[in-house]
Amino acid sequence: MARTQLPYQSPIFAAITLVVSMLFYSCSSTKKMEIKVYETSANGHALTPVTPIATTAKGTIISINPSEKFQTITGFGGSFTESSAHLLNQLSKPNRQKIIEAYFGESGARYSLTRTHIGSCDFSLKHYAYNEVEGDKTLEHFSVAEDEKGMIPMILEAQATSKNGFHIIASPWTAPPHMKDNNSWIGGKLLPEYNDTWALYYAKYIDAYKKAGIDIWGLTVVNEPHGNGNNWESMLFSPQEMTDFVQNHLGPVLEAQGKKEVKILGYDQNRAGLQEWVDAMYKDEKSSKYFAGTAIHWYESTFDYFPAALQYAHQKSPKKYLIQTEACVDSEIPHWNDDAWYWQKEATDWGWDWASAQDKHLHPKYAPVNRYANDIIGCLNNWVDGWVDWNMVLDKQGGPNWFKNWCVAPVIVDPEKDEVYFTPLYYVMAHFSKFMRPGAIKIGCTIDNAALMATAVQNPDGSIALVVFNPTDEDQNLDIQLNNHKKTSSIQAKALQTMVIKP
């Protein structure tokens, strides 16, 4: 059964405004600890406040250690795309506001880290660039007028709704065709004579958005520098070519333009190739000078979050950002508004159909909820400090997408009927974005049951957000250990919980 209301409008989620807490007692102390528990589950909970009931049976031990500190959290969120903005423009004003509030409002997911595309991508209505005038190397004809139709108004509305604001990472899919060696939107490499012009292109973009009232926090050099099989907008770089471009052109141009504070993130593709990229980016002081961090995607596998690669990237340059900048699952009609589908192993991705024989094992059937929860928790437990989903809003087909590369978004709309459906993926994202705030510190968290996953952060206000995922078909008892106190709880089968602990 499809949900068509926001959690803050539904009777269930209205309970979130009530004080829902469990008072657990230690065997060695009478001190009370307030814990609020929110659950999303296959049985219909949608970020619902719950009071778990634990039996006396031995449970899975989750040990939280606030003295063990790891990365600082940058944020969680999704992406502003032309497709999402186009759909919002077709909805009634109440439904448009409902979606923006769901993502950025205090009663919603409180997104804190976002992404957008510089020029067109596959989730655009057509190919476009901000300057397609050949020979204009000083970019006198640069204009973001195309974005003024939908993208910029969507971002401005989100900014007006967000209490604490959010960061924006901007990524180009390609330079204009005339700047490339194949004169095409798809594939090809940047011509050397356009290195400085292309670097200036980013600066012009930052200025244009600033003039519109939008600050750009960070940039990736290009989306998916390995390419995408020559399917949609792309531009190719090798690790060394991207490093040289940043070191000799993009970094110096932004610095000269007074934009040194804008973070440059390298790579921006799948984790399986991460090692060779950070080896080039962080080879020495000169190569790493302008890189603020590394951006990654999840598409190499439907279940492996590549912990070894993430650990390697962090150790290569421990003070740099490591941010997941894109993730989505393929759409499967007519399941787009079927809650149960998101909990079942019926989804597919490119690898299910096209992976080579030796890589086929990396792409089994998977449950979309499992993939999101598994990856976010796995990333947090391996030094990733930010996690950004792909489109915020798509239609029931999984578009619009000019290449027909249909995907799922956390919010699906039917503009003809003016209907909105919040998929379980929306609630999964909110379990992290709402309760793990920018500036939080990832803290020690171990779990003694390999079938479950857990992670924890300590927020700037001192509260601890513990997320537990139970993908099994059985309810699980939990023994939570914190500061020498043992607290008992439980989690339903096929459920994700966030426990907000106030010591």
Side-chain angles (χ1 to χ4, degrees), residues 150-445:
M151 290 256 286
I152 288 175
M154 181 183 178
I155 296 172
L156 291 174
E157 194 169 347
Q159 286 183 168
T161 302
S162 176
K163 178 180 178 181
N164 300 119
F166 52 87
H167 291 322
I168 301 173
I169 299 169
S171 304
W173 265 236
T174 182
H178 70 268
M179 295 186 188
K180 299 164 65 178
D181 60 7
N182 67 347
N183 197 33
S184 172
W185 294 98
I186 300 165
K189 292 190 174 185
L190 185 69
L191 290 166
E193 59 263 36
Y194 281 102
N195 277 329
D196 287 330
T197 299
W198 181 233
L200 180 62
Y201 197 98
Y202 297 82
K204 290 273 192 177
Y205 170 84
I206 293 167
D207 285 340
Y209 265 62
K210 179 74 171 179
K211 185 176 181 180
I214 298 167
D215 288 328
I216 299 300
W217 177 82
L219 300 166
T220 72
V221 182
V222 74
N223 176 73
E224 299 181 348
H226 291 312
N228 51 51
N230 290 326
N231 291 317
W232 50 86
E233 290 93 335
S234 61
M235 185 166 66
L236 309 179
F237 283 89
S238 70
Q240 192 59 52
E241 287 168 343
M242 181 180 288
T243 300
D244 290 343
F245 174 71
V246 171
Q247 180 180 336
N248 301 318
H249 303 281
L250 181 58
V253 166
L254 292 184
E255 188 173 40
Q257 293 266 330
K259 298 172 175 58
K260 191 175 180 179
E261 77 285 353
V262 178
K263 281 69 176 173
I264 300 174
L265 305 177
Y267 191 35
D268 208 14
Q269 198 159 358
N270 303 332
R271 299 165 204 172
L274 186 53
Q275 181 171 334
E276 64 173 331
W277 284 82
V278 295
D279 280 348
M281 292 162 55
Y282 305 138
K283 179 181 179 181
D284 53 38
E285 185 177 346
K286 288 183 178 179
S287 66
S288 62
K289 175 182 178 180
Y290 292 110
F291 283 114
T294 308
I296 51 174
H297 297 180
W298 78 352
Y299 301 112
E300 204 76 25
S301 168
T302 58
F303 71 91
D304 187 1
Y305 48 87
F306 295 91
L310 298 176
Q311 290 282 340
Y312 185 90
H314 169 74
Q315 296 300 331
K316 194 70 179 180
S317 194
K319 296 182 179 180
K320 304 285 189 179
Y321 294 98
L322 184 55
I323 297 177
Q324 155 74 29
T325 52
E326 186 182 319
C328 67
V329 297
D330 290 357
S331 64
E332 194 171 288
I333 300 168
H335 298 290
W336 63 274
N337 64 346
D338 176 6
D339 278 9
W341 177 80
Y342 293 87
W343 290 91
Q344 297 171 355
K345 293 183 178 180
E346 294 301 330
T348 61
D349 78 338
W350 65 270
W352 178 256
D353 296 318
W354 305 326
S356 60
Q358 62 267 29
D359 293 332
K360 199 77 168 180
H361 69 282
L362 293 170
H363 302 277
K365 291 279 189 177
Y366 62 88
V369 164
N370 291 28
R371 189 175 186 195
Y372 269 74
N374 178 74
D375 197 82
I376 299 173
I377 294 173
C379 280
L380 289 174
N381 289 342
N382 288 279
W383 295 104
V384 172
D385 56 273
W387 206 99
V388 184
D389 191 27
W390 193 202
N391 297 273
M392 292 187 206
V393 184
L394 291 176
D395 62 26
K396 60 185 182 180
Q397 172 74 55
N401 182 292
W402 70 261
F403 187 74
K404 299 183 179 179
N405 178 34
W406 315 124
C407 295
V408 168
V411 177
I412 303 294
V413 301
D414 183 342
E416 292 183 2
K417 296 181 180 179
D418 193 34
E419 292 181 353
V420 179
Y421 165 59
F422 289 85
T423 79
L425 300 180
Y426 164 81
Y427 300 97
V428 172
M429 287 299 303
H431 271 274
F432 299 90
S433 63
K434 188 175 183 69
F435 302 111
M436 294 183 171
R437 303 304 298 158
I441 304 296
K442 170 69 181 69
I443 58 176
C445 179

Side-chain angles (χ1 to χ4, degrees), residues 440-455:
I441 304 296
K442 170 69 181 69
I443 58 176
C445 179
T446 61
I447 186 167
D448 72 348
N449 185 341
L452 277 62
M453 297 184 74
T455 194

